[in-house]
Amino acid sequence: MTIVEEHRTEIRVQDTVYRIEVAAREGGGAAGEDRWVTVMVGGAGPQEEPVAEGRLDIDAEAVPALATVLSDTLMAFAGRSTGRNGRRRSADRPAHQGLPWSEELDAELESRWLAGESVEEIARRFERTPGGIRARLPRVGCDPERRGAYLPIPPSQREGGELG
């Protein structure tokens, strides 16, 4: 088997040093085309006594799923939750901040804005930040500066090329 990529890091927590090594390997299967990832974890206390030791060999195709599970599990254990992109979430961060918008959500955003709802009301309804709502309004054709109004049509997109 051939190592094609390798990463190593150490983490010091008080007097204990943890080491994490990850190596991607090719070969070893019947066709010699298999790709595997090995994760090795070790730790030593202040007197060099072992406090952690382990090894995990997995098929490279399982790495993204394992990364998500490990990240979510470790962050939950540490008392933090993560968003879909793996960043830490503060307790006061809206639940849907940073998540993608759907056509249905865009249509509802447009409808609520044209009905005269404020940015703050809409932000609460969508569980997003007011800044996120203001940023999204122009993408659905609404003017974030004038409640209940569409953006003006730019001259280059008016019928017949009329100006003014």
Side-chain angles (χ1 to χ4, degrees):
M1 283 192 210
T2 304
I3 294 177
V4 294
E5 190 172 349
E6 194 170 29
H7 298 275
R8 297 176 185 196
T9 191
E10 285 190 354
I11 303 164
R12 180 175 295 280
V13 179
Q14 297 172 351
D15 292 335
T16 303
V17 176
Y18 295 95
R19 286 176 308 287
I20 302 170
E21 298 177 25
V22 179
R25 304 182 327 267
E26 285 185 348
E33 298 173 0
D34 296 353
R35 190 161 173 168
W36 291 87
V37 173
T38 300
V39 180
M40 292 176 285
V41 178
Q47 309 303 318
E48 298 295 320
E49 71 276 12
V51 296
E53 185 176 11
R55 176 183 172 134
L56 177 63
D57 292 303
I58 61 169
D59 187 297
E61 290 182 20
V63 169
L66 177 65
T68 299
V69 168
L70 283 174
S71 175
D72 290 350
T73 302
L74 291 172
M75 294 302 280
F77 188 80
R80 302 179 181 119
S81 62
T82 58
R84 289 188 178 202
N85 56 8
R87 293 187 307 220
R88 293 181 188 163
R89 285 188 141 344
S90 63
D92 59 345
R93 184 174 169 191
H96 295 133
Q97 179 181 346
L99 296 180
W101 287 79
S102 67
E103 288 182 25
E104 294 80 19
L105 289 173
D106 279 343
E108 185 179 349
L109 171 64
E110 178 183 2
S111 173
R112 288 178 178 275
W113 184 250
L114 295 176
E117 288 187 32
S118 70
V119 167
E120 290 73 20
E121 291 169 325
I122 296 171
R124 278 192 298 278
R125 159 61 186 97
F126 285 99
E127 297 182 64
R128 295 178 184 262
T129 64
I133 298 299
R134 278 189 214 83
R136 192 68 186 181
L137 284 168
R139 294 181 183 208
V140 298
C142 295
D143 187 342
E145 301 301 319
R146 298 181 306 142
R147 189 185 304 182
Y150 281 115
L151 287 168
I153 300 172
S156 63
Q157 294 183 8
R158 293 182 183 149
E159 286 187 36
E162 65 184 71
L163 299 174

